[in-house]
Amino acid sequence: MEDKLISRLESAVTRLESLSAGGFSRGGDLCRDASAAGPSIAAFDDLISQYVNNVIRVAENIGGQVLDILKIIEEAFNVQKELLVEISQTQKPDTAGLVAFLKPLNDVVEKMCALTEGRQSEFFNHQKTGADSIAALMWIAYTGKNCGMSMPTAHVEESWHMAEFYSNKILVEYKNKDPNHVEWVKVLKELFVPGLRDYVKAHYPLGPVWNASGKTIATNRGGPPPPQAPAVAQSSSSRPKQGMSAVFDEINSGQSVTSGLRKVTADMKSKNRTDRSGVVCVAEKESHAKKPSVTKTGPPKFELQLGRKWVVENQIGQKELVIDDCDAKQTIYVYGCQNSVLQVNGKVNNITLDKCSKMGLVFQDVVAACELVNCNSTEVQCQGVAPTISIDNTEGCQLYLSKDSLETSITTAKSEVNVLVPASEADGDWTEHPLPVQYIHAYKDGQIVTTPMDHSGG
């Protein structure tokens, strides 16, 4: 037992020396604090030993960028451990103090998010999985029911839920190609669920336990605080913008998303058009659109997390959702929204719609991609540039492209999609191009030849 404790303390000291060398220094008393840590810190050491080290072992079999992801995750867990040690002897700070206190962890999270920026790597799905899952560690920012965050255990689960969107893509891609990547997803999930989730549930179900008689926090930790406190996730953009009412009046009157619906002539229509029940039909089918609201859904969210990720969840019947305080380093994740419209004013890195119904999306530019998965009756309008638009398992998607986005690469799987492009230089009319959903496969000259089925109706 003593040998195990000594080994654990030696490991803690080694990590502290490493963190200090990287600029993460908390003073001369921290090593002594670690040695006097209570059972929650010992349990966190066990979490690292059992789960983090296991993920690293699997990542070493892959190497390269995948291993780099896990090194950042390891660093984040080590930083969180030292924060927990310090919390045990520190008074609860105000918001500014909390921002300063959490800056070392926020810096590591930002380091992970930076991997997903710019030109997409072949391991983009791994990077996104890492960036979304590492956000689970921000449970430590929970300060109470009015702080804008879910409770700690729920926050961990929700973070992995967002990461799972990309981890599932890894499973599909590597299922029959490389079992190491499949194993990587498996052990990474185990790290967060049940690993971190069960740890938080057992030791900090109501958030971090501060020391009422402890020391106070200095608000300056070697640099300015991030632009927004992770603990105060609610953004000013989540509140209704009076000036945006006119914008959505314009959209609904036919100047934006629905302009194509009202001006497409009869000869442009396809057999799929009757499936459409998106933004333009909301007013006509109001009584039907309200029915999904009685189903079991989570609480609505509209918040900016860690200064990097917009989370829009479970919004029902909200036609004036607007994000305009955004930049090219931020991502947007929209989940479980119904009968709503979201407008994004500005360039962002990535937009994902997941399990949304009767949802309208208007955006300007994305650096990486706009993705739809498991959606129904959606209308999406790209007003600027989008390198890639991916649509997976989605029924009834109307995709409007501007003249600047005509070179967009569109990928679809198990989806019904109509692409509408400007019919002429003069704004107004749209030309519709239904994407094939049926194919003809024939065996010719020793191989299978696949061609799309003709949708001309001739």
Side-chain angles (χ1 to χ4, degrees), residues 242-261:
Q242 296 180 359
M244 294 311 300
S245 297
V247 175
F248 279 89
D249 287 342
E250 185 179 27
I251 292 175
N252 292 326
S253 66
Q255 297 302 315
S256 188
V257 174
T258 57
S259 60
L261 298 178

Side-chain angles (χ1 to χ4, degrees), residues 58-115:
V58 176
E60 287 175 343
N61 295 332
I62 303 173
Q65 296 180 45
V66 176
L67 182 58
D68 292 341
I69 295 169
L70 265 297
K71 288 180 178 178
I72 296 176
I73 290 178
E74 180 186 33
E75 180 183 359
F77 271 84
N78 287 332
V79 170
Q80 176 148 110
K81 176 196 167 180
E82 307 312 331
L83 289 176
L84 290 173
V85 171
E86 197 161 336
I87 282 173
S88 67
Q89 59 167 332
T90 304
Q91 296 181 27
K92 185 177 181 179
D94 58 14
T95 299
L98 184 63
V99 171
F101 181 81
L102 294 177
K103 187 178 186 301
L105 181 58
N106 197 55
D107 288 346
V108 180
V109 172
E110 288 191 354
K111 185 191 302 185
M112 178 71 81
C113 293
L115 296 181

